[in-house]
Amino acid sequence: MVKITGTLVWYYFVCKREVWLMKHEITPYEDFDLLEFGRAIHEGSYKREKKEFLFDTIKIDLIKFKGKTTIIGEIKKSSSYLLPAKMQLLFYMY
């Protein structure tokens, strides 16, 4: 059985072929320039906040607490993929 992750949900709405590749453990080069760029953004963003919370197959980038409100966030390099990011967050809330 395939474990569904937030990353798979995100990629499902971006590129279904990428989901297939990831499901079959075929991953891109880890030193690919755009992946490095994404890692740098992730590490440099929200430095004052606690990041990366692991829950089973879920890895949430950012959780903030404001009073009784909990804010769950994903750090992305661009806002051009709003639907995939929204679906990933909805998966986390589910």
Side-chain angles (χ1 to χ4, degrees):
M1 180 187 293
V2 176
K3 285 192 173 189
I4 305 297
T5 66
T7 302
L8 285 177
V9 170
W10 190 84
Y11 273 113
Y12 179 82
F13 289 92
V14 173
C15 177
K16 291 175 179 58
R17 177 178 32 175
E18 186 72 24
V19 173
W20 186 91
L21 292 169
M22 292 175 82
K23 188 255 181 230
H24 289 88
E25 298 180 4
I26 302 170
T27 56
Y29 297 111
E30 290 300 315
D31 59 350
F32 184 58
D33 290 344
L34 290 177
L35 290 174
E36 290 293 327
F37 181 64
R39 285 188 199 105
I41 290 172
H42 180 77
E43 291 171 10
S45 300
Y46 303 97
K47 288 186 176 183
R48 296 180 184 173
E49 306 294 335
K50 292 183 180 179
K51 295 188 286 187
E52 291 196 356
F53 297 86
L54 296 170
F55 304 100
D56 193 30
T57 63
I58 296 172
K59 184 167 149 184
I60 297 173
D61 287 347
L62 179 69
I63 298 178
K64 292 174 78 172
F65 301 98
K66 289 190 175 184
K68 293 182 179 181
T69 303
T70 302
I71 300 168
I72 299 172
E74 280 294 305
I75 301 168
K76 304 294 184 197
K77 69 177 181 172
S78 168
S79 62
S80 61
Y81 294 105
L82 291 177
L83 178 63
K86 179 179 178 180
M87 299 311 287
Q88 183 178 11
L89 290 171
L90 287 172
F91 170 73
Y92 290 160
M93 290 190 296
Y94 172 74

